[in-house]
Structure formats: structure tokens, C-alpha cells
Amino acid sequence: MDADGEILFSSFLAGALLKNKSIKYIDLANQMTLFENTTNYNIVDDGYDKLSDIVIDTGDEIRLNRDFDNIYNNICTIKEYLYSMTNIGIRSFFEIEDIGIEKNNDLCKKKYGIFKKRKTRVLR
């Protein structure tokens, strides 16, 4: 996410949505400019495909289409998913409080079924 001083747009947007649940495009542009001017990071465009199934683009704003407590991909809540996409710089910028999943950052990553873990032997 933050290789060579770069932040993905989707990560920045996740932070903005954690703060407000919706953000107007003009406010998002202003926040991005302020973030880049006050930190050593540049926001790079990756679209927001990672968020496309939980946000709605209304034309003048982007907002969550589900509540923070809804389960995402049968693994974690929307809030935990958004939180896992941010880093400490983004959370600090948006003044987002720690929700305690930092050490368990793989909470929202894909979990594998039992057959991925099981070792098998082939008999000849």
C-alpha cells in the first residue's frame, strides 16, 4: 500500500468512508490535496474496485450502501474491511480510532477450506 510514498486511492477512500460513511467528490478532492500536501505520500489511482460492491456512486458523492456492522464476504464486518485497507497514516489523517484488529490484519483476507490445509500422500 505505501511503497515509495504512494497510497492507493481505494485505501484513502476507505479511510474517508470510515470517517463519514459518505463523501462528496469536491470534499474528497480537497481531502486528497490536503493529505498529499501534509504528508510525504502521493495518492495513486487504482480505481475503487476493491470497494465497488459496498459503495454507491450517486454522481456527486460516494457512499456506503451497507451498514458498518453488516458482514462482508462472510468473514468480517464492513468496518473491519475498510479498516484493514487503511494504514496508520490514513487513520491518523482522518482521526480514526484504533478498533483493535491491527495485529490480526489478516482478519478480512480469504480463508481457505479444510482441503487447502490438509496434506495428502499419494500411494503408488
Side-chain angles (χ1 to χ4, degrees), residues 16-33:
L17 293 173
L18 270 172
K19 182 70 177 178
N20 295 315
K21 294 185 183 178
S22 70
I23 188 163
K24 294 195 178 291
Y25 280 114
I26 189 71
D27 295 332
L28 182 60
N30 289 336
Q31 292 293 321
M32 290 171 62
T33 300

mmCIF file with all atom_site columns, all heavy atoms in Angstrom, residues 16-33:
data_model
loop_
_atom_site.group_PDB
_atom_site.id
_atom_site.type_symbol
_atom_site.label_atom_id
_atom_site.label_alt_id
_atom_site.label_comp_id
_atom_site.label_asym_id
_atom_site.label_entity_id
_atom_site.label_seq_id
_atom_site.pdbx_PDB_ins_code
_atom_site.Cartn_x
_atom_site.Cartn_y
_atom_site.Cartn_z
_atom_site.occupancy
_atom_site.B_iso_or_equiv
_atom_site.pdbx_formal_charge
_atom_site.auth_seq_id
_atom_site.auth_comp_id
_atom_site.auth_asym_id
_atom_site.auth_atom_id
_atom_site.pdbx_PDB_model_num
ATOM 1   N N   . ALA A 1 16 ? -11.723 7.670  4.256  1.00 0.00 ? 16 ALA A N   1
ATOM 2   C CA  . ALA A 1 16 ? -12.747 8.719  4.194  1.00 0.00 ? 16 ALA A CA  1
ATOM 3   C C   . ALA A 1 16 ? -14.120 8.157  4.540  1.00 0.00 ? 16 ALA A C   1
ATOM 4   O O   . ALA A 1 16 ? -14.901 8.797  5.255  1.00 0.00 ? 16 ALA A O   1
ATOM 5   C CB  . ALA A 1 16 ? -12.767 9.354  2.800  1.00 0.00 ? 16 ALA A CB  1
ATOM 6   N N   . LEU A 1 17 ? -14.412 6.951  4.066  1.00 0.00 ? 17 LEU A N   1
ATOM 7   C CA  . LEU A 1 17 ? -15.713 6.337  4.346  1.00 0.00 ? 17 LEU A CA  1
ATOM 8   C C   . LEU A 1 17 ? -15.819 5.850  5.788  1.00 0.00 ? 17 LEU A C   1
ATOM 9   O O   . LEU A 1 17 ? -16.910 5.833  6.355  1.00 0.00 ? 17 LEU A O   1
ATOM 10  C CB  . LEU A 1 17 ? -15.982 5.195  3.365  1.00 0.00 ? 17 LEU A CB  1
ATOM 11  C CG  . LEU A 1 17 ? -16.183 5.624  1.916  1.00 0.00 ? 17 LEU A CG  1
ATOM 12  C CD1 . LEU A 1 17 ? -16.261 4.413  0.996  1.00 0.00 ? 17 LEU A CD1 1
ATOM 13  C CD2 . LEU A 1 17 ? -17.418 6.505  1.764  1.00 0.00 ? 17 LEU A CD2 1
ATOM 14  N N   . LEU A 1 18 ? -14.698 5.471  6.376  1.00 0.00 ? 18 LEU A N   1
ATOM 15  C CA  . LEU A 1 18 ? -14.714 5.119  7.796  1.00 0.00 ? 18 LEU A CA  1
ATOM 16  C C   . LEU A 1 18 ? -15.057 6.335  8.641  1.00 0.00 ? 18 LEU A C   1
ATOM 17  O O   . LEU A 1 18 ? -15.722 6.229  9.666  1.00 0.00 ? 18 LEU A O   1
ATOM 18  C CB  . LEU A 1 18 ? -13.349 4.588  8.232  1.00 0.00 ? 18 LEU A CB  1
ATOM 19  C CG  . LEU A 1 18 ? -13.115 3.105  8.119  1.00 0.00 ? 18 LEU A CG  1
ATOM 20  C CD1 . LEU A 1 18 ? -11.664 2.770  8.410  1.00 0.00 ? 18 LEU A CD1 1
ATOM 21  C CD2 . LEU A 1 18 ? -14.029 2.335  9.042  1.00 0.00 ? 18 LEU A CD2 1
ATOM 22  N N   . LYS A 1 19 ? -14.610 7.484  8.209  1.00 0.00 ? 19 LYS A N   1
ATOM 23  C CA  . LYS A 1 19 ? -14.856 8.723  8.953  1.00 0.00 ? 19 LYS A CA  1
ATOM 24  C C   . LYS A 1 19 ? -16.300 9.196  8.806  1.00 0.00 ? 19 LYS A C   1
ATOM 25  O O   . LYS A 1 19 ? -16.921 9.609  9.780  1.00 0.00 ? 19 LYS A O   1
ATOM 26  C CB  . LYS A 1 19 ? -13.886 9.806  8.464  1.00 0.00 ? 19 LYS A CB  1
ATOM 27  C CG  . LYS A 1 19 ? -13.993 11.111 9.166  1.00 0.00 ? 19 LYS A CG  1
ATOM 28  C CD  . LYS A 1 19 ? -13.491 11.015 10.575 1.00 0.00 ? 19 LYS A CD  1
ATOM 29  C CE  . LYS A 1 19 ? -13.536 12.369 11.255 1.00 0.00 ? 19 LYS A CE  1
ATOM 30  N NZ  . LYS A 1 19 ? -13.100 12.300 12.605 1.00 0.00 ? 19 LYS A NZ  1
ATOM 31  N N   . ASN A 1 20 ? -16.864 9.137  7.592  1.00 0.00 ? 20 ASN A N   1
ATOM 32  C CA  . ASN A 1 20 ? -18.149 9.789  7.349  1.00 0.00 ? 20 ASN A CA  1
ATOM 33  C C   . ASN A 1 20 ? -19.239 8.930  6.727  1.00 0.00 ? 20 ASN A C   1
ATOM 34  O O   . ASN A 1 20 ? -20.367 9.404  6.619  1.00 0.00 ? 20 ASN A O   1
ATOM 35  C CB  . ASN A 1 20 ? -17.938 10.991 6.419  1.00 0.00 ? 20 ASN A CB  1
ATOM 36  C CG  . ASN A 1 20 ? -17.089 12.037 7.070  1.00 0.00 ? 20 ASN A CG  1
ATOM 37  O OD1 . ASN A 1 20 ? -17.279 12.372 8.228  1.00 0.00 ? 20 ASN A OD1 1
ATOM 38  N ND2 . ASN A 1 20 ? -16.121 12.551 6.336  1.00 0.00 ? 20 ASN A ND2 1
ATOM 39  N N   . LYS A 1 21 ? -18.968 7.745  6.237  1.00 0.00 ? 21 LYS A N   1
ATOM 40  C CA  . LYS A 1 21 ? -19.908 6.857  5.530  1.00 0.00 ? 21 LYS A CA  1
ATOM 41  C C   . LYS A 1 21 ? -20.304 7.382  4.156  1.00 0.00 ? 21 LYS A C   1
ATOM 42  O O   . LYS A 1 21 ? -20.859 6.653  3.362  1.00 0.00 ? 21 LYS A O   1
ATOM 43  C CB  . LYS A 1 21 ? -21.167 6.569  6.349  1.00 0.00 ? 21 LYS A CB  1
ATOM 44  C CG  . LYS A 1 21 ? -20.918 5.769  7.593  1.00 0.00 ? 21 LYS A CG  1
ATOM 45  C CD  . LYS A 1 21 ? -22.224 5.423  8.261  1.00 0.00 ? 21 LYS A CD  1
ATOM 46  C CE  . LYS A 1 21 ? -21.974 4.676  9.544  1.00 0.00 ? 21 LYS A CE  1
ATOM 47  N NZ  . LYS A 1 21 ? -23.206 4.355  10.237 1.00 0.00 ? 21 LYS A NZ  1
ATOM 48  N N   . SER A 1 22 ? -20.038 8.660  3.872  1.00 0.00 ? 22 SER A N   1
ATOM 49  C CA  . SER A 1 22 ? -20.254 9.214  2.536  1.00 0.00 ? 22 SER A CA  1
ATOM 50  C C   . SER A 1 22 ? -19.361 10.443 2.392  1.00 0.00 ? 22 SER A C   1
ATOM 51  O O   . SER A 1 22 ? -19.009 11.079 3.394  1.00 0.00 ? 22 SER A O   1
ATOM 52  C CB  . SER A 1 22 ? -21.715 9.597  2.304  1.00 0.00 ? 22 SER A CB  1
ATOM 53  O OG  . SER A 1 22 ? -22.064 10.728 3.075  1.00 0.00 ? 22 SER A OG  1
ATOM 54  N N   . ILE A 1 23 ? -18.999 10.746 1.146  1.00 0.00 ? 23 ILE A N   1
ATOM 55  C CA  . ILE A 1 23 ? -18.170 11.924 0.904  1.00 0.00 ? 23 ILE A CA  1
ATOM 56  C C   . ILE A 1 23 ? -18.473 12.463 -0.487 1.00 0.00 ? 23 ILE A C   1
ATOM 57  O O   . ILE A 1 23 ? -18.583 11.703 -1.446 1.00 0.00 ? 23 ILE A O   1
ATOM 58  C CB  . ILE A 1 23 ? -16.662 11.615 1.086  1.00 0.00 ? 23 ILE A CB  1
ATOM 59  C CG1 . ILE A 1 23 ? -15.846 12.901 1.015  1.00 0.00 ? 23 ILE A CG1 1
ATOM 60  C CG2 . ILE A 1 23 ? -16.184 10.555 0.109  1.00 0.00 ? 23 ILE A CG2 1
ATOM 61  C CD1 . ILE A 1 23 ? -14.446 12.767 1.568  1.00 0.00 ? 23 ILE A CD1 1
ATOM 62  N N   . LYS A 1 24 ? -18.660 13.758 -0.568 1.00 0.00 ? 24 LYS A N   1
ATOM 63  C CA  . LYS A 1 24 ? -18.888 14.421 -1.848 1.00 0.00 ? 24 LYS A CA  1
ATOM 64  C C   . LYS A 1 24 ? -17.560 14.485 -2.600 1.00 0.00 ? 24 LYS A C   1
ATOM 65  O O   . LYS A 1 24 ? -16.505 14.557 -1.995 1.00 0.00 ? 24 LYS A O   1
ATOM 66  C CB  . LYS A 1 24 ? -19.451 15.818 -1.638 1.00 0.00 ? 24 LYS A CB  1
ATOM 67  C CG  . LYS A 1 24 ? -20.839 15.812 -1.036 1.00 0.00 ? 24 LYS A CG  1
ATOM 68  C CD  . LYS A 1 24 ? -21.489 17.154 -1.182 1.00 0.00 ? 24 LYS A CD  1
ATOM 69  C CE  . LYS A 1 24 ? -22.888 17.136 -0.616 1.00 0.00 ? 24 LYS A CE  1
ATOM 70  N NZ  . LYS A 1 24 ? -23.818 16.337 -1.371 1.00 0.00 ? 24 LYS A NZ  1
ATOM 71  N N   . TYR A 1 25 ? -17.633 14.451 -3.927 1.00 0.00 ? 25 TYR A N   1
ATOM 72  C CA  . TYR A 1 25 ? -16.421 14.464 -4.744 1.00 0.00 ? 25 TYR A CA  1
ATOM 73  C C   . TYR A 1 25 ? -15.551 15.684 -4.472 1.00 0.00 ? 25 TYR A C   1
ATOM 74  O O   . TYR A 1 25 ? -14.335 15.575 -4.405 1.00 0.00 ? 25 TYR A O   1
ATOM 75  C CB  . TYR A 1 25 ? -16.767 14.390 -6.230 1.00 0.00 ? 25 TYR A CB  1
ATOM 76  C CG  . TYR A 1 25 ? -17.080 12.997 -6.694 1.00 0.00 ? 25 TYR A CG  1
ATOM 77  C CD1 . TYR A 1 25 ? -18.354 12.659 -7.130 1.00 0.00 ? 25 TYR A CD1 1
ATOM 78  C CD2 . TYR A 1 25 ? -16.103 12.011 -6.677 1.00 0.00 ? 25 TYR A CD2 1
ATOM 79  C CE1 . TYR A 1 25 ? -18.641 11.379 -7.560 1.00 0.00 ? 25 TYR A CE1 1
ATOM 80  C CE2 . TYR A 1 25 ? -16.384 10.725 -7.097 1.00 0.00 ? 25 TYR A CE2 1
ATOM 81  C CZ  . TYR A 1 25 ? -17.649 10.415 -7.535 1.00 0.00 ? 25 TYR A CZ  1
ATOM 82  O OH  . TYR A 1 25 ? -17.928 9.144  -7.943 1.00 0.00 ? 25 TYR A OH  1
ATOM 83  N N   . ILE A 1 26 ? -16.151 16.843 -4.291 1.00 0.00 ? 26 ILE A N   1
ATOM 84  C CA  . ILE A 1 26 ? -15.379 18.058 -4.043 1.00 0.00 ? 26 ILE A CA  1
ATOM 85  C C   . ILE A 1 26 ? -14.636 17.953 -2.712 1.00 0.00 ? 26 ILE A C   1
ATOM 86  O O   . ILE A 1 26 ? -13.478 18.345 -2.598 1.00 0.00 ? 26 ILE A O   1
ATOM 87  C CB  . ILE A 1 26 ? -16.254 19.342 -4.126 1.00 0.00 ? 26 ILE A CB  1
ATOM 88  C CG1 . ILE A 1 26 ? -15.390 20.598 -4.077 1.00 0.00 ? 26 ILE A CG1 1
ATOM 89  C CG2 . ILE A 1 26 ? -17.297 19.370 -3.044 1.00 0.00 ? 26 ILE A CG2 1
ATOM 90  C CD1 . ILE A 1 26 ? -14.585 20.828 -5.309 1.00 0.00 ? 26 ILE A CD1 1
ATOM 91  N N   . ASP A 1 27 ? -15.299 17.398 -1.700 1.00 0.00 ? 27 ASP A N   1
ATOM 92  C CA  . ASP A 1 27 ? -14.659 17.217 -0.399 1.00 0.00 ? 27 ASP A CA  1
ATOM 93  C C   . ASP A 1 27 ? -13.545 16.168 -0.477 1.00 0.00 ? 27 ASP A C   1
ATOM 94  O O   . ASP A 1 27 ? -12.493 16.324 0.148  1.00 0.00 ? 27 ASP A O   1
ATOM 95  C CB  . ASP A 1 27 ? -15.675 16.812 0.662  1.00 0.00 ? 27 ASP A CB  1
ATOM 96  C CG  . ASP A 1 27 ? -16.701 17.906 0.925  1.00 0.00 ? 27 ASP A CG  1
ATOM 97  O OD1 . ASP A 1 27 ? -16.369 19.097 0.741  1.00 0.00 ? 27 ASP A OD1 1
ATOM 98  O OD2 . ASP A 1 27 ? -17.844 17.556 1.298  1.00 0.00 ? 27 ASP A OD2 1
ATOM 99  N N   . LEU A 1 28 ? -13.775 15.119 -1.255 1.00 0.00 ? 28 LEU A N   1
ATOM 100 C CA  . LEU A 1 28 ? -12.756 14.086 -1.436 1.00 0.00 ? 28 LEU A CA  1
ATOM 101 C C   . LEU A 1 28 ? -11.518 14.670 -2.113 1.00 0.00 ? 28 LEU A C   1
ATOM 102 O O   . LEU A 1 28 ? -10.392 14.419 -1.680 1.00 0.00 ? 28 LEU A O   1
ATOM 103 C CB  . LEU A 1 28 ? -13.321 12.924 -2.262 1.00 0.00 ? 28 LEU A CB  1
ATOM 104 C CG  . LEU A 1 28 ? -12.385 11.744 -2.509 1.00 0.00 ? 28 LEU A CG  1
ATOM 105 C CD1 . LEU A 1 28 ? -11.944 11.098 -1.198 1.00 0.00 ? 28 LEU A CD1 1
ATOM 106 C CD2 . LEU A 1 28 ? -13.065 10.715 -3.407 1.00 0.00 ? 28 LEU A CD2 1
ATOM 107 N N   . ALA A 1 29 ? -11.725 15.473 -3.140 1.00 0.00 ? 29 ALA A N   1
ATOM 108 C CA  . ALA A 1 29 ? -10.602 16.107 -3.836 1.00 0.00 ? 29 ALA A CA  1
ATOM 109 C C   . ALA A 1 29 ? -9.837  17.033 -2.893 1.00 0.00 ? 29 ALA A C   1
ATOM 110 O O   . ALA A 1 29 ? -8.592  17.038 -2.889 1.00 0.00 ? 29 ALA A O   1
ATOM 111 C CB  . ALA A 1 29 ? -11.098 16.880 -5.049 1.00 0.00 ? 29 ALA A CB  1
ATOM 112 N N   . ASN A 1 30 ? -10.548 17.799 -2.077 1.00 0.00 ? 30 ASN A N   1
ATOM 113 C CA  . ASN A 1 30 ? -9.899  18.692 -1.123 1.00 0.00 ? 30 ASN A CA  1
ATOM 114 C C   . ASN A 1 30 ? -9.110  17.910 -0.074 1.00 0.00 ? 30 ASN A C   1
ATOM 115 O O   . ASN A 1 30 ? -7.996  18.286 0.287  1.00 0.00 ? 30 ASN A O   1
ATOM 116 C CB  . ASN A 1 30 ? -10.925 19.602 -0.443 1.00 0.00 ? 30 ASN A CB  1
ATOM 117 C CG  . ASN A 1 30 ? -11.485 20.640 -1.381 1.00 0.00 ? 30 ASN A CG  1
ATOM 118 O OD1 . ASN A 1 30 ? -10.862 21.011 -2.380 1.00 0.00 ? 30 ASN A OD1 1
ATOM 119 N ND2 . ASN A 1 30 ? -12.687 21.119 -1.074 1.00 0.00 ? 30 ASN A ND2 1
ATOM 120 N N   . GLN A 1 31 ? -9.694  16.812 0.411  1.00 0.00 ? 31 GLN A N   1
ATOM 121 C CA  . GLN A 1 31 ? -9.010  15.973 1.403  1.00 0.00 ? 31 GLN A CA  1
ATOM 122 C C   . GLN A 1 31 ? -7.764  15.317 0.812  1.00 0.00 ? 31 GLN A C   1
ATOM 123 O O   . GLN A 1 31 ? -6.736  15.219 1.484  1.00 0.00 ? 31 GLN A O   1
ATOM 124 C CB  . GLN A 1 31 ? -9.966  14.905 1.943  1.00 0.00 ? 31 GLN A CB  1
ATOM 125 C CG  . GLN A 1 31 ? -11.099 15.442 2.779  1.00 0.00 ? 31 GLN A CG  1
ATOM 126 C CD  . GLN A 1 31 ? -10.609 16.039 4.086  1.00 0.00 ? 31 GLN A CD  1
ATOM 127 O OE1 . GLN A 1 31 ? -9.693  15.516 4.715  1.00 0.00 ? 31 GLN A OE1 1
ATOM 128 N NE2 . GLN A 1 31 ? -11.214 17.133 4.486  1.00 0.00 ? 31 GLN A NE2 1
ATOM 129 N N   . MET A 1 32 ? -7.848  14.888 -0.445 1.00 0.00 ? 32 MET A N   1
ATOM 130 C CA  . MET A 1 32 ? -6.691  14.275 -1.099 1.00 0.00 ? 32 MET A CA  1
ATOM 131 C C   . MET A 1 32 ? -5.557  15.286 -1.241 1.00 0.00 ? 32 MET A C   1
ATOM 132 O O   . MET A 1 32 ? -4.398  14.955 -0.974 1.00 0.00 ? 32 MET A O   1
ATOM 133 C CB  . MET A 1 32 ? -7.094  13.717 -2.473 1.00 0.00 ? 32 MET A CB  1
ATOM 134 C CG  . MET A 1 32 ? -7.991  12.505 -2.384 1.00 0.00 ? 32 MET A CG  1
ATOM 135 S SD  . MET A 1 32 ? -8.696  11.986 -3.969 1.00 0.00 ? 32 MET A SD  1
ATOM 136 C CE  . MET A 1 32 ? -7.238  11.595 -4.898 1.00 0.00 ? 32 MET A CE  1
ATOM 137 N N   . THR A 1 33 ? -5.885  16.504 -1.639 1.00 0.00 ? 33 THR A N   1
ATOM 138 C CA  . THR A 1 33 ? -4.873  17.549 -1.785 1.00 0.00 ? 33 THR A CA  1
ATOM 139 C C   . THR A 1 33 ? -4.235  17.865 -0.444 1.00 0.00 ? 33 THR A C   1
ATOM 140 O O   . THR A 1 33 ? -3.009  17.972 -0.329 1.00 0.00 ? 33 THR A O   1
ATOM 141 C CB  . THR A 1 33 ? -5.504  18.826 -2.389 1.00 0.00 ? 33 THR A CB  1
ATOM 142 O OG1 . THR A 1 33 ? -6.046  18.498 -3.666 1.00 0.00 ? 33 THR A OG1 1
ATOM 143 C CG2 . THR A 1 33 ? -4.480  19.930 -2.535 1.00 0.00 ? 33 THR A CG2 1
#
